[in-house]
Amino acid sequence: MTERTQERMCHDVWLPAETSALRAQARAAVEKHVAPVAREIGAAEESPESFPWEAFRGLADEGLFAVPFARPEGAGLQYPMLGTCTVTEEIAYHSSSLSGVYDGQCILVPQALSFAQAQVRAAVLPDLISGQGAYAFATTEPDASSDLSNETLRTELTDTADGYVLNGRKRWITNACVARWAAVLCKHGDRASMVLVDLQNTPGVRVGAPDLKMGHRGQLTSDIVFENAHVPAENVLGEPGRGLAVALSCLVRGRIGIAAAGVGVAQAAMDLAVERLRTRHVFGKPLGAMQHWQFVLAERATEIECARSLYQKAAYLLDTGDATAEPEAAMAKSYATRLAVDLVREAIQIHGALGFARSVSESGESVRLEELYRDAKILEIFEGANELQKWIVARRLIGREITG
């Protein structure tokens, strides 16, 4: 087993005791339920049958889906966002794509459901927390992703005598092809609303086949098409016309979660790189004796520490009452995910052809760097592209009246 350099390089001196304990709990659960099947999850072509239900429900059985929620349903943590992001990092260390599933199930959707009516929450939370059901969060459309303005949205909600009718198309929706429920952002007159839709039992809802992607193959994404789909009035999340605020409150949390995933991927790449530098010999000495790689990885170790601290600070801000966590959330997301891509690329370079190969056919040798490289790229794109995150930071730094 690859040594975890995090044990000697990272000291979480200020983290709450509950978070440190949760990291240990999450690591044990991930080692048990995710690590043995992570390579299979990363290599399987997307299909409804390939969804990693066993690992997914294994994590739920260990209590990790209860982390975001207050008692009596949930774990009742004092710092639930910090805890959820810590779990996300631990999952991403072995499976970035499953950390994306967890981000949707345990960060995006729980925040959306915090705006639901009590009877709706009571009906849907048990299946979410137990892992019996997968849940989806649907904001993106073919022409709307980072820009979710009402002028850009095409999925539309129309008032009826007994609720609403929904028409339109959502795209790249995590878990859609296996989910029962989805929180959906839609145009509603001259504003936007967010509603909870039963994907499996609502006439007029059609979910497409999973997209075939370069990486994150365990994170199934699909189109959802709505054709005069009825939505009960009580399924509005928050107030009608206030859906964009609901969506943005979810997305800022999701970005911190993806930052944590980036740290997990970067840490995995670092550990593989260090092992190779210690065991591979060139010109009669370990590859790690070359000062070039010493300096490169020293810089990357520093950046991992910075990235982990950034996501932890952003999550802590949310847990202690800062509703936006700007600019830390945007900084964390862009910094950590860029680091993941850069560090995986360098780990491949350190491994040479072995890092580039899926497997050496003759010997069976295989490292998971080509999977990590395929997976890492999407972290820079979803939950708000990194360019958008830099714009958010710039607006706070320079002023909206200048940046627009």
Side-chain angles (χ1 to χ4, degrees):
M1 181 179 293
T2 305
E3 179 199 11
R4 293 223 184 192
T5 60
Q6 181 180 351
E7 297 301 315
R8 65 173 184 271
M9 299 302 296
C10 175
H11 302 95
D12 288 333
V13 294
W14 67 270
L15 279 190
E18 69 171 26
T19 309
S20 297
L22 180 60
R23 184 185 291 281
Q25 176 190 347
R27 184 168 299 181
V30 171
E31 293 286 351
K32 177 180 179 182
H33 298 287
V34 178
V37 294
R39 298 296 297 275
E40 179 182 338
I41 291 171
E45 184 164 295
E46 296 94 332
S47 71
E49 295 72 31
S50 73
F51 185 78
W53 281 114
E54 186 174 352
F56 178 86
R57 288 176 173 150
L59 296 178
D61 290 344
E62 301 283 352
L64 298 186
F65 289 9
V67 171
F69 298 102
R71 291 191 174 95
E73 304 98 335
L77 298 180
Q78 185 177 357
Y79 304 100
M81 185 64 195
L82 183 57
T84 309
C85 289
T86 301
V87 174
T88 303
E89 180 192 341
E90 290 297 324
I91 297 171
Y93 185 88
H94 284 290
S95 175
S96 183
S97 58
L98 193 54
S99 77
V101 173
Y102 186 80
D103 174 73
Q105 183 87 358
C106 293
I107 297 180
L108 295 173
V109 172
Q111 177 62 14
L113 290 177
S114 72
F115 294 90
Q117 295 185 26
Q119 69 270 25
V120 174
R121 283 173 54 86
V124 302
L125 280 186
D127 275 359
L128 188 157
I129 293 172
S130 69
Q132 291 308 301
Y135 287 66
F137 180 82
T139 57
T140 304
E141 299 180 1
D143 296 314
S145 51
S146 295
D147 179 6
L148 295 175
S149 65
N150 216 44
E151 293 76 22
T152 304
L153 290 172
R154 294 290 178 267
T155 302
E156 189 162 8
L157 194 69
T158 304
D159 293 52
T160 65
D162 59 347
Y164 306 96
V165 166
L166 186 59
N167 285 280
R169 179 185 295 267
K170 292 296 180 179
R171 178 155 290 174
W172 310 121
I173 306 307
T174 296
N175 293 345
C177 67
V178 294
R180 165 81 185 274
W181 296 96
V184 182
L185 180 67
C186 40
K187 180 196 293 283
H188 189 188
D190 59 358
R191 304 194 73 180
S193 291
M194 180 160 271
V195 294
L196 191 64
V197 180
D198 185 339
L199 299 181
Q200 296 182 7
N201 298 297
T202 303
V205 175
R206 180 174 61 83
V207 179
D211 306 306
L212 304 181
K213 309 184 302 300
M214 179 174 77
H216 262 223
R217 294 179 181 175
Q219 182 183 4
L220 303 182
T221 66
S222 309
D223 278 21
I224 308 175
V225 179
F226 305 100
E227 297 176 339
N228 295 320
H230 174 69
V231 179
E234 62 268 22
N235 282 23
V236 173
L237 300 175
E239 299 177 12
R242 299 282 295 169
L244 184 59
V246 174
L248 293 179
S249 77
C250 300
L251 289 169
V252 72
R253 286 161 172 78
R255 289 163 185 167
I256 301 170
I258 297 306
V263 171
V265 170
Q267 187 68 63
M270 171 65 80
D271 293 352
L272 289 168
V274 168
E275 181 179 48
R276 185 69 169 177
L277 291 178
R278 292 174 61 87
T279 58
R280 175 69 167 176
H281 284 70
V282 293
F283 304 112
K285 57 185 178 181
L287 184 57
M290 293 188 170
Q291 192 177 70
H292 169 76
W293 288 120
Q294 294 173 11
F295 283 12
V296 167
L297 290 197
E299 290 177 359
R300 294 306 187 202
T302 304
E303 291 175 332
I304 289 177
E305 181 69 6
C306 291
R308 184 176 285 118
S309 297
L310 268 174
Y311 95 65
Q312 291 173 340
K313 183 179 180 181
Y316 183 85
L317 281 170
L318 287 176
D319 283 332
T320 54
D322 187 322
T324 63
E326 284 189 347
E328 287 85 358
M331 288 179 174
K333 198 275 180 181
S334 61
Y335 187 85
T337 59
R338 186 273 306 162
L339 172 62
V341 173
D342 287 350
L343 191 40
V344 174
R345 184 183 62 248
E346 287 162 351
I348 292 173
Q349 191 73 13
I350 288 168
H351 282 75
L354 183 60
F356 184 74
R358 293 196 301 273
S359 177
V360 180
S361 296
E362 185 67 21
S363 66
E365 293 173 272
S366 176
V367 292
R368 59 191 186 101
L369 285 167
E370 75 77 36
E371 176 194 328
L372 280 174
Y373 203 28
R374 289 188 289 105
D375 284 352
K377 182 57 197 171
I378 191 60
L379 301 177
E380 296 186 301
I381 297 171
F382 64 6
E383 305 287 9
N386 281 4
E387 291 79 8
L388 174 65
Q389 306 313 310
K390 293 175 183 179
W391 182 54
I392 291 171
V393 174
R395 286 194 305 174
R396 175 64 68 93
L397 179 66
I398 302 169
R400 296 189 182 199
E401 72 279 7
I402 301 298
T403 60

